[in-house]
Amino acid sequence: KKFSTGNHPVEMLVPMLHFRDAGFTFDIATQNGGAAKLEMWAFPTEDENVVKLHEDINAMMENPKKLADITSLDEYSAIFIPGGHGAMINLPFSKDLGRLLHMAHDQGLLTVTLCHGPAALLATGAEGSDMKFAYDGYKMMCYTDLSDSKGPGVGYLPGPMPWKAQETLENKGVTILNKSETGDVTQDRELISGDSPYAADPLGKFAAPILVKYAMENRL
């Protein structure tokens, strides 16, 4: 069986609405420069704001930047990694993403993520690179392995996940704060994380003013 995945549209677009309303614009990037995909089965078609934002950024999603081509973060206020199981496919093993996340980590540049998105943080210690996992000792939220294990039973996933995001992060020294998914958000240093799609709106509301403060302090 095959499962068509990508970014969860609520987890991507709802925080972006808050970032946009705070005055930010976006660059979208993927590992190989291929189109950014959404899990369209979860698209909130009756939410006019989400629909309009999707229309506005669709050209960028179809023709994104390539991660390897981004050489500096000096003009950015944050890295945002949405959830969706797509975040577990190539991003956790991407040396290019790992390089950018290390740059953000060293600069104190905000990194915002939720649900399965934190799996992509593993890129900071990607196999074959000389990089060390950057988030050892951090506290964060993510979608729990327990909830993922229930996916096949409710028809969401065609079978068990090939690897476990929560367990892998914890084995790297991360403390996952949530035991279930209730929409919780937390911040540890430059990292802001949320537990699930329920956290999309709270995450955006929480992170947006912090991004504004960072941008003002750094004259962006």
Coordinates of all heavy atoms in Angstrom, one line a residue, residues 28 30 33-37 54 57-65:
I28 N 9.7 29.6 0.3 CA 9.4 28.1 0.5 C 10.6 27.3 -0.2 O 11.0 27.6 -1.3 CB 8.1 27.8 -0.1 CG1 6.9 28.5 0.6 CG2 7.8 26.3 -0.1 CD1 5.6 28.3 0.1
T30 N 12.3 23.2 -0.6 CA 12.3 21.8 -0.4 C 13.7 21.2 -0.6 O 14.6 21.9 -1.1 CB 11.3 21.1 -1.4 OG1 11.7 21.4 -2.7 CG2 9.9 21.7 -1.2
G33 N 14.1 20.9 -4.5 CA 13.5 21.9 -5.4 C 12.2 21.5 -6.0 O 11.7 22.3 -6.8
G34 N 11.8 20.3 -5.7 CA 10.5 19.8 -6.2 C 9.3 20.5 -5.5 O 9.5 21.1 -4.4
A35 N 8.1 20.4 -6.1 CA 7.0 21.1 -5.5 C 6.7 20.7 -4.1 O 6.9 19.5 -3.7 CB 5.8 20.8 -6.4
A36 N 6.3 21.6 -3.3 CA 5.9 21.3 -1.9 C 4.4 20.8 -1.9 O 3.6 21.3 -2.6 CB 5.9 22.6 -1.1
K37 N 4.2 19.6 -1.3 CA 3.0 18.9 -1.3 C 2.2 19.1 0.0 O 2.7 19.1 1.0 CB 3.2 17.4 -1.6 CG 4.0 17.1 -2.8 CD 3.3 17.4 -4.1 CE 4.0 17.0 -5.3 NZ 3.3 17.3 -6.6
H54 N -3.5 29.9 0.5 CA -3.0 28.9 -0.4 C -2.9 29.3 -1.8 O -1.9 29.0 -2.5 CB -3.9 27.6 -0.2 CG -3.4 26.5 -1.0 ND1 -4.3 25.8 -1.9 CD2 -2.2 25.9 -1.2 CE1 -3.6 24.8 -2.5 NE2 -2.3 24.9 -2.0
I57 N 0.2 31.7 -2.2 CA 1.6 31.1 -2.2 C 1.7 29.9 -3.1 O 2.8 29.3 -3.1 CB 2.0 30.7 -0.8 CG1 1.1 29.5 -0.2 CG2 1.9 31.9 0.2 CD1 1.6 29.0 1.1
N58 N 0.6 29.5 -3.8 CA 0.7 28.3 -4.6 C 1.8 28.3 -5.7 O 2.5 27.3 -5.9 CB -0.6 28.0 -5.3 CG -0.7 26.7 -5.9 OD1 -0.6 25.7 -5.2 ND2 -0.9 26.6 -7.2
A59 N 2.1 29.4 -6.3 CA 3.2 29.5 -7.3 C 4.5 29.2 -6.6 O 5.4 28.5 -7.2 CB 3.2 30.9 -7.9
M60 N 4.7 29.7 -5.4 CA 6.0 29.4 -4.7 C 6.0 27.9 -4.3 O 7.1 27.3 -4.3 CB 6.1 30.2 -3.4 CG 6.5 31.6 -3.6 SD 7.0 32.5 -2.1 CE 5.4 32.6 -1.3
M61 N 4.9 27.3 -3.9 CA 4.9 25.9 -3.6 C 5.2 25.0 -4.8 O 5.8 24.0 -4.7 CB 3.5 25.5 -3.0 CG 3.2 26.1 -1.7 SD 1.6 25.7 -1.0 CE 1.8 23.9 -0.8
E62 N 4.7 25.5 -6.0 CA 5.0 24.7 -7.2 C 6.4 24.9 -7.7 O 7.0 24.0 -8.3 CB 4.0 25.2 -8.3 CG 2.6 24.8 -8.0 CD 2.4 23.3 -8.0 OE1 3.1 22.6 -8.8 OE2 1.5 22.8 -7.3
N63 N 7.1 26.0 -7.3 CA 8.4 26.3 -7.8 C 9.3 26.8 -6.6 O 9.7 27.9 -6.6 CB 8.4 27.3 -8.9 CG 9.8 27.5 -9.6 OD1 10.6 26.5 -9.6 ND2 10.0 28.7 -10.0
P64 N 9.5 25.9 -5.6 CA 10.2 26.4 -4.4 C 11.7 26.5 -4.6 O 12.3 26.0 -5.6 CB 9.9 25.3 -3.4 CG 9.8 24.1 -4.2 CD 9.1 24.5 -5.5
K65 N 12.4 27.1 -3.7 CA 13.8 27.1 -3.7 C 14.3 25.8 -3.3 O 13.6 24.9 -2.8 CB 14.3 28.1 -2.6 CG 14.1 29.6 -2.9 CD 14.6 30.5 -1.8 CE 14.4 32.0 -2.0 NZ 15.3 32.5 -3.1

